[in-house]
Amino acid sequence: MIPLPLARIAEITSGALSGKADPRAVVRGPVVIDSRDVRPGSLFVAFKGARVDGHDYAAQAVRAGAVAVLASRPVEAPAVIVPDQAAALAGLATAQAAALPDATVIGVTGSAGKTTTKDLLARLTARIGPTIAPVGSYNNEIGHPLTVLKADLDTRFMVLELSARNIGHIAALTRIAPPRIGVVLNVGTAHLGVFGGKEAIAQAKGELVESLPRDGVAVLNADDPLVRAMAARTAARVTLYGRGEDAAIRAEGVTVDERGRASFTLHTPSGAAPVKLKLYGTPAVENSLAAAAAAYELGLPVATIAEELSEATPRSRWRMEVTDRADGVTVVNDAYNANPDSMRAAFEALGALGKGRRRFAVIAALRELGEDGAALNEELGRLAGGSGLSGLVVAGPDAEPVLEGAAAAAGAPSAVSPDISGMSPGDGEALPIVHVPDAQAAAAQVGAWLRPGDVVLVKGPRAMGLERTAELLLGGAPQ
């Protein structure tokens, strides 16, 4: 961050110095919310969570090198006391972004693919100048300002991921660091129950393009009608990307290899170049096109864009991580989160990656789907049951619609078992479908089924923590 004395931080956040805080002491960053991440010169933000109160770690943070604590009550350490830490954090980030008028802010939003696109775009902008981007999915009212506060006087690009759990959330994030380029990927069914419908989701996602200045650029997915319609909601110039002929940045001749990795020709208004992705799954094509369109607007040559896209590997954990165990089993860890759209994409990738191999999946019931939850989870079960699996494990609560859909799609006879005593793959014509309580039990069940050459997909909503299943499976054989 740009170094600031505590007196200035107190002024920006409308806070009061406490605990013998020296107003001349300078915070040089990083700004952190976990005391374990404190470094000399840090500012520790003491949030009170459901299980842990950061205020209890204030003295520990200062001993570790924090200059002060941003707190809501006095603590046994130098502090800036504010009524609302989240609002103070946003105010501090807003001031820092305003102090960097020459830095180009790029916002990325969408129902799926935000993190992958952000990671690709950050790789591309780094070819031009110093870039900051969030770690993983730091994309909400806490993670977003924390990312902005990583910028310093050398920063030329901020590639920021913006999420919304309701109308107005993205608009609020854009006020912290106003974007000049806005990328909208898609409008899907993530958080459908919160928003109530795809049109409301589109309204929320479109707040990004509404925030753009007249000399900005809206990068829109031409293949998604709800995204394409956002062109009418912005004063900025519009660039379309997609697979159709009318997209300025498009992919032609898409092919997928035996590992589920796509290749295509990247076309731009000034030329074309071949791209051979190392990322898995066909959604990586759309994510790559979105990143390419934004990079093209920044002046990167198409050959450079294609080169960087072809070299890119996953930067953020648990998103289509494909690992081959020493015994020949392939584990696909896509456990960061899930919604109906990303589940379909994951099973499509599993089909390509597992062609000619026994395929297994560990999934969980999807959440935040509102009144459509039961129907969409039954549809998920049908997707899994009809995808040619040799065995299916459904973990966690509210699994009944998934189990019913899977059994119906697999056709009789199918076995649904409540524990690991269920049928094994190869027992007649049945698809073994097992319901287990948690991630650890899921690993035990599917691990008992696996043999060399098999492939297993692990994917579910974030709350289920199925990355633990993948980690246990990978720990079960030498790497």
Side-chain angles (χ1 to χ4, degrees):
M1 64 179 289
I2 302 171
L4 289 175
L6 286 181
R8 177 60 179 149
I9 291 175
E11 181 183 0
I12 292 169
T13 61
S14 299
L17 297 181
S18 173
K20 298 182 180 179
D22 181 354
R24 296 164 297 183
V26 176
V27 172
R28 302 182 184 278
V31 180
V32 300
I33 59 174
D34 187 329
S35 62
R36 294 169 295 184
D37 295 332
V38 167
R39 301 291 182 270
S42 287
L43 177 68
F44 173 56
V45 186
F47 282 105
K48 182 178 181 180
R51 292 177 297 177
V52 177
D53 187 345
H55 294 80
D56 297 336
Y57 296 86
Q60 176 183 319
V62 171
R63 286 195 299 270
V67 175
V69 180
L70 190 66
S72 61
R73 65 173 187 265
V75 292
E76 294 182 0
V80 179
I81 308 300
V82 297
D84 184 331
Q85 293 102 309
L89 190 63
L92 190 58
T94 301
Q96 291 269 285
L100 298 170
D102 295 330
T104 298
V105 178
I106 306 168
V108 180
T109 195
S111 295
K114 294 186 295 294
T115 299
T116 299
T117 303
K118 172 264 301 179
D119 288 343
L120 289 170
L121 187 49
R123 181 187 179 104
L124 288 163
T125 57
R127 288 290 296 261
I128 309 172
T131 296
I132 63 122
V135 175
S137 295
Y138 260 36
N139 56 23
N140 62 12
E141 68 276 9
I142 304 301
H144 184 80
L146 285 174
T147 301
V148 173
L149 286 166
K150 289 183 177 181
D152 58 27
L153 294 173
D154 294 326
T155 300
R156 187 169 174 192
F157 297 100
M158 297 186 214
V159 182
L160 304 175
E161 182 178 333
L162 294 82
S163 72
R165 292 181 60 82
N166 218 319
I167 301 296
H169 284 183
I170 288 177
L173 296 180
T174 63
R175 288 193 288 270
I176 293 173
R180 195 179 74 81
I181 297 177
V183 181
V184 186
L185 303 174
N186 43 55
V187 174
T189 49
H191 310 305
L192 188 62
V194 176
F195 284 99
K198 291 183 72 172
E199 290 72 18
I201 295 172
Q203 180 65 32
K205 302 299 183 186
E207 290 170 4
L208 174 57
V209 300
E210 289 177 345
S211 74
L212 298 173
R214 287 190 176 276
D215 63 348
V217 183
V219 175
L220 303 179
N221 183 354
D223 301 331
D224 186 319
L226 289 175
V227 175
R228 187 169 184 145
M230 293 177 192
R233 295 170 58 184
T234 184
R237 181 164 51 83
V238 173
T239 289
L240 298 177
Y241 72 89
R243 300 204 189 190
E245 286 290 333
D246 62 340
I249 308 297
R250 64 186 185 275
E252 292 187 355
V254 178
T255 60
V256 179
D257 69 13
E258 69 282 355
R259 298 278 288 176
R261 297 168 298 197
S263 297
F264 58 91
T265 300
L266 174 64
H267 281 266
T268 74
S270 58
V275 174
K276 186 175 183 180
L277 295 176
K278 293 181 178 178
L279 302 175
Y280 294 87
T282 53
V285 176
E286 279 66 39
N287 297 337
S288 298
L289 288 174
Y296 182 81
E297 291 294 336
L298 292 170
L300 268 178
V302 62
T304 301
I305 295 172
E307 175 189 342
E308 290 293 340
L309 293 177
S310 297
E311 290 299 318
T313 54
R315 288 189 178 185
S316 299
R317 299 193 64 192
W318 310 331
R319 295 165 175 83
M320 289 305 294
E321 289 182 354
V322 178
T323 305
D324 294 318
R325 297 191 332 194
D327 64 355
V329 169
T330 299
V331 178
V332 182
N333 182 355
D334 197 32
Y336 180 77
N337 212 341
N339 59 56
D341 304 308
S342 67
M343 275 291 192
R344 282 189 289 272
F347 274 97
E348 180 183 338
L350 178 64
L353 185 61
K355 189 174 183 180
R357 308 165 68 182
R358 294 201 316 165
R359 302 191 297 275
F360 298 87
V362 176
I363 61 175
L366 302 174
R367 306 184 182 189
E368 297 184 348
L369 298 175
E371 295 178 356
D372 298 320
L376 288 171
N377 272 307
E378 183 177 350
E379 183 180 326
L380 166 61
R382 290 180 177 277
L383 170 68
S387 61
L389 295 176
S390 295
L392 173 66
V393 176
V394 183
D398 306 318
E400 289 76 14
V402 182
L403 297 168
E404 292 170 4
S414 292
V416 177
S417 171
D419 55 41
I420 63 171
S421 63
M423 297 176 63
S424 297
D427 291 349
E429 297 298 320
L431 166 67
I433 305 170
V434 178
H435 180 210
V436 298
D438 53 36
Q440 186 166 340
Q445 175 60 76
V446 78
W449 286 341
L450 295 173
R451 64 184 187 223
D454 292 345
V455 58
V456 55
L457 167 69
V458 182
K459 185 169 182 64
R462 186 74 196 96
M464 271 306 301
L466 291 184
E467 69 276 2
R468 178 59 178 158
T469 301
E471 290 166 357
L472 289 168
L473 290 173
L474 291 172
Q479 297 301 301

